[in-house]
């Protein structure tokens, strides 16, 4: 983060603008809106600037900027803005301000500035600032325009009411959670129905208590985080993450997604990976019940979809037995998300009419699989957590009739910027894993549809690695080399 975002109280602070044209006029309006005390220095002032100077009775210095002549003014300044089109003059202003450790902004010149001014959405006292780090003020304004229409117009009125209610909320509610629950309820009501403002605090409190009477039990949301890309979260998943008190998350949930969790929520890592079980399933179940019984809103956040190899059903059974309320928020499962980002349609009229999802993670899963069914041609098999048992997968599929030349793809870190897709054939799978040093998380896709990755791969961050192998008469891979 190159610039740290803060909001500064400028009321009655001494500020200087060097310049008197259109840009100076824009900056002057912003500072006056913040109730700053502004002085202006320039040889010439536009009629618009002079009108504001006269209206607000501002000090005007019609002279060339000179550090010696304006020394006292600079010494007392809180911040300085250089709003001229003369870089040499702007540099003089910047040097003079920096010497005094005064904040300085030189319009359209990051090198000479110690702070930048963001695009602002003003719903006073609510302010939303959008900054591009000074790189593109035009983009910042465009983003502001897009956000502007999304925000209700009554947010300023809502904040004013919340400010007035704050002492009474602190008095009526004994702990942080109860304060937050009431505030969130009131905000939701006020945004949905502005007539709420017509009621006083006591009436609002009475309505809240009536709605929530006997409803202090905790609740668990079983949420699918998708395959990794935070933009693949559902709208409901994002909403739940931003209201949760506690989030129990898996190891495969990406940092991008964890950043969407409310800042003051408690994050609990309960992740499990092959050979690295940090938290047992029993302990995870116990924590879910424990937190819910404390009256908290708990999110069990799982990579992919919680009902596809996510043990979501087992965890819900525990909640049912404990009498805990719950909801399920589905997510995009890894097979669908990763294959899509790799340009591999899991079904295709010319290649596969059937798709099967299997996991090779559980100790006995390999023995329980219907290999004859899995080995059928013209179908896609998506294998979760299969890296450690790739040789067993290959031998069983080929033993039951799947051709060793069947195309395959290994998708590592699917949907993330570091995504890699390795293409080859079924009999090459073990050597591909070793040659390219594939690591978890990785999805193995077996079937004719995988050849389409060569033409349909669209994800700009993806690295596609093909292979070409010489095979001896026993079907053993002898040589492997990249071809793309």
């Amino acid at each position: 983060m190159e610039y740290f975002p803060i909001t500064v109280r400028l009321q009655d602070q001494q500020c200087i603008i060097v310049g008197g044209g259109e840009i100076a006029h824009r900056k002057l309006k912003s500072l006056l809106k913040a109730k700053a005390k502004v002085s202006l220095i320039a040889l010439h002032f536009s009629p618009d600037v002079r009108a504001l100077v006269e209206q607000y009775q501002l000090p005007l210095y019609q002279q060339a900027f000179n550090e010696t002549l304006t020394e006292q003014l600079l010494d007392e300044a809180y911040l300085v803005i250089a709003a001229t089109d003369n870089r040499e003059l702007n540099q003089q202003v910047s040097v003079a301000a920096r010497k005094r450790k005064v904040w300085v902004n030189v319009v359209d010149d990051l090198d000479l500035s110690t702070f930048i001014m963001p695009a602002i959405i003003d719903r006073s006292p609510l302010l939303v600032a959008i900054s591009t780090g000074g790189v593109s003020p035009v983009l910042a304004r465009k983003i502001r325009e897009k956000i502007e229409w999304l925000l209700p117009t009554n947010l300023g009125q809502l904040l004013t009411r919340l400010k007035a209610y704050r002492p009474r909320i602190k008095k009526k509610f004994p702990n942080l959670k109860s304060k937050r629950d009431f505030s969130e309820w009131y905000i939701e009501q006020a945004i949905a129905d502005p007539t709420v403002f017509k009621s006083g605090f006591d009436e609002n409190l009475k309505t809240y208590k009536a709605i929530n009477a006997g409803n202090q039990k905790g609740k668990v949301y079983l949420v699918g985080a998708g395959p990794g890309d935070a933009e693949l979260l559902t709208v409901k998943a994002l909403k739940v993450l931003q209201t949760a008190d506690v989030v129990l998350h898996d190891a495969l949930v990406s940092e991008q997604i964890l950043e969407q969790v409310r800042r003051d929520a408690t994050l609990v890592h309960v992740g499990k990976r092959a050979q690295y079980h940090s938290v047992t399933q029993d302990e995870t179940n116990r924590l879910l019940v424990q937190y819910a019984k404390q009256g908290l809103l708990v999110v069990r956040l799982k990579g992919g979809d919680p009902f596809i190899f996510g043990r979501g059903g087992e965890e819900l059974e525990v909640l049912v037995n404990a009498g805990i309320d719950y909801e399920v928020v589905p997510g995009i499962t890894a097979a669908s998300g990763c294959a899509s980002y790799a340009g591999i349609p899991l079904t295709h009229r010319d290649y596969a009419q059937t798709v099967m999802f299997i996991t090779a993670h559980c100790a006995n899963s390999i023995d329980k699989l219907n290999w004859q069914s899995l080995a059928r041609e013209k179908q896609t098999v998506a294998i979760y957590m299969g890296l450690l048992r790739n040789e067993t997968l290959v031998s069983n599929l080929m033993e039951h009739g799947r051709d060793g030349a069947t195309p395959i793809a290994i998708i590592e870190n699917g949907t993330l910027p570091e995504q890699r897709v390795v293409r080859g054939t079924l009999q090459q799978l073990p050597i591909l894993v070793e040659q390219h040093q594939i690591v978890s998380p990785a999805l193995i896709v077996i079937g004719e549809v995988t050849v389409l990755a060569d033409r349909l791969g669209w994800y700009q961050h993806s690295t596609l690695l093909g292979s070409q192998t010489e095979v001896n008469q026993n079907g053993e891979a002898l040589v492997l080399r990249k071809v793309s």
Side-chain angles (χ1 to χ4, degrees):
M1 184 164 52
E2 190 175 0
Y3 290 89
F4 186 79
I6 60 174
T7 52
V8 178
R9 186 180 179 89
L10 286 183
Q11 185 172 352
D12 296 329
Q13 297 286 357
Q14 298 288 342
C15 300
I16 299 172
I17 296 177
V18 180
E22 180 185 349
I23 297 174
H25 178 248
R26 289 205 312 267
K27 302 301 181 184
L28 177 58
K29 287 196 298 181
S30 296
L31 293 180
L32 291 175
K33 201 168 186 180
K35 300 179 181 179
K37 292 182 176 179
V38 187
S39 301
L40 295 99
I41 304 171
L43 285 172
H44 305 286
F45 298 95
S46 71
D48 289 334
V49 170
R50 287 188 176 277
L52 285 176
V53 166
E54 185 175 343
Q55 179 183 347
Y56 288 91
Q57 296 296 294
L58 304 176
L60 198 67
Y61 298 85
Q62 191 160 358
Q63 62 185 55
F65 175 82
N66 182 292
E67 184 178 349
T68 303
L69 293 176
T70 58
E71 185 171 2
Q72 183 177 352
L73 198 62
L74 286 166
D75 287 342
E76 296 175 353
Y78 187 79
L79 63 81
V80 177
I81 297 176
T84 81
D85 55 5
N86 184 329
R87 195 175 196 278
E88 184 178 346
L89 173 56
N90 289 341
Q91 190 166 19
Q92 292 177 24
V93 175
S94 177
V95 170
R98 289 170 188 248
K99 185 190 301 184
R100 293 165 173 79
K101 299 190 184 304
V102 174
W103 289 10
V104 60
N105 173 258
V106 178
V107 177
D108 289 335
D109 198 326
L110 293 177
D111 293 337
L112 297 181
S113 301
T114 58
F115 79 97
I116 55 179
M117 300 178 73
I120 294 172
I121 298 171
D122 189 355
R123 299 281 196 278
S124 292
L126 173 71
L127 294 175
V128 180
I130 300 103
S131 172
T132 58
V135 174
S136 177
V138 174
L139 176 59
R141 288 197 295 272
K142 287 294 182 184
I143 294 172
R144 180 193 65 195
E145 291 169 7
K146 290 183 179 298
I147 296 176
E148 185 89 47
W149 70 271
L150 293 173
L151 298 180
T153 57
N154 66 347
L155 290 180
Q157 184 183 5
L158 172 57
L159 266 178
T160 301
R161 183 65 65 90
L162 287 171
K163 183 179 180 180
Y165 280 2
R166 190 172 183 179
R168 303 181 73 177
I169 293 173
K170 291 176 69 175
K171 185 177 180 180
K172 292 288 185 181
F173 297 97
N175 56 61
L176 177 62
K177 175 170 169 46
S178 58
K179 291 185 186 77
R180 189 170 62 203
D181 288 346
F182 173 78
S183 297
E184 288 183 351
W185 172 84
Y186 181 76
I187 290 168
E188 290 282 353
Q189 297 302 307
I191 290 175
D193 181 10
T195 61
V196 168
F197 294 129
K198 296 179 180 179
S199 305
F201 177 78
D202 291 336
E203 189 173 342
N204 293 145
L205 182 60
K206 183 179 178 180
T207 302
Y208 171 75
K209 287 184 174 180
I211 292 173
N212 291 276
N215 190 30
Q216 299 304 310
K217 294 192 302 180
K219 185 172 184 177
V220 174
Y221 284 86
L222 186 61
V223 178
D229 185 345
E231 292 188 352
L232 296 180
L233 279 173
T234 65
V235 174
K236 186 167 185 178
L238 183 60
K239 181 178 178 180
V240 171
L241 288 177
Q242 294 177 347
T243 58
D245 298 309
V246 183
V247 177
L248 282 70
H249 65 92
D250 284 348
L252 295 182
V253 176
S254 69
E255 286 298 322
Q256 294 178 347
I257 290 171
L258 292 179
E259 287 174 2
Q260 310 306 314
V261 177
R262 188 172 70 186
R263 290 291 177 261
D264 59 345
T266 300
L267 286 173
V268 182
H269 185 286
V270 293
K272 295 181 283 290
R273 289 199 185 191
Q275 299 181 329
Y276 298 98
H277 285 219
S278 57
V279 179
T280 66
Q281 186 63 50
D282 287 343
E283 175 64 8
T284 299
N285 296 342
R286 188 189 67 78
L287 288 171
L288 286 174
V289 173
Q290 174 186 307
Y291 285 123
K293 285 189 173 180
Q294 294 174 14
L296 301 175
L297 193 158
V298 183
V299 169
R300 176 66 176 102
L301 187 62
K302 294 174 170 288
D305 181 271
F307 278 5
I308 299 182
F309 306 128
R311 307 186 76 167
E314 298 172 38
E315 292 179 0
L316 288 193
E317 288 181 306
V318 171
L319 298 177
V320 169
N321 292 336
I324 304 295
D325 289 341
Y326 63 86
E327 283 189 34
V328 180
V329 182
I332 296 175
T333 190
S336 178
C338 297
S340 295
Y341 271 53
I344 299 172
L346 292 176
T347 63
H348 187 289
R349 189 167 56 178
D350 297 331
Y351 297 92
Q353 291 75 47
T354 306
V355 59
M356 301 183 73
F357 298 168
I358 68 170
T359 177
H361 178 56
C362 302
N364 299 320
S365 60
I366 293 291
D367 300 328
K368 295 179 180 178
L369 293 174
N370 185 338
W371 291 105
Q372 189 169 354
S373 176
L374 290 172
R376 290 182 308 205
E377 293 184 357
K378 295 294 184 180
Q379 76 170 355
T380 306
V381 179
I383 303 168
Y384 291 68
M385 298 169 282
L387 285 184
L388 296 179
R389 295 181 172 86
N390 65 80
E391 293 182 359
T392 302
L393 290 167
V394 172
S395 61
N396 275 282
L397 286 170
M398 292 180 62
E399 181 183 335
H400 288 82
R402 192 72 174 193
D403 191 333
T406 301
I408 67 160
I410 311 165
I411 307 168
E412 179 188 69
N413 291 311
T415 78
L416 296 175
E418 57 270 28
Q419 172 177 299
R420 289 197 304 165
V421 181
V422 177
R423 283 264 296 104
T425 64
L426 177 61
Q427 63 189 2
Q428 295 171 5
L429 177 57
I431 197 170
L432 288 171
V433 172
E434 181 180 355
Q435 176 80 15
H436 295 289
Q437 299 181 332
I438 305 297
V439 296
S440 180
L443 180 84
I444 300 170
V445 184
I446 298 172
E448 290 75 7
V449 291
T450 60
V451 300
L452 295 171
D454 300 338
R455 288 191 294 128
L456 303 184
W458 59 270
Y459 185 43
Q460 61 179 345
H461 296 294
S462 185
T463 301
L464 177 63
L465 300 173
S467 68
Q468 194 172 67
T469 306
E470 295 178 11
V471 180
N472 67 14
Q473 60 183 359
N474 296 320
E476 298 170 329
L478 298 177
V479 179
L480 173 72
R481 63 182 183 274
K482 295 183 200 175
V483 295
S484 64

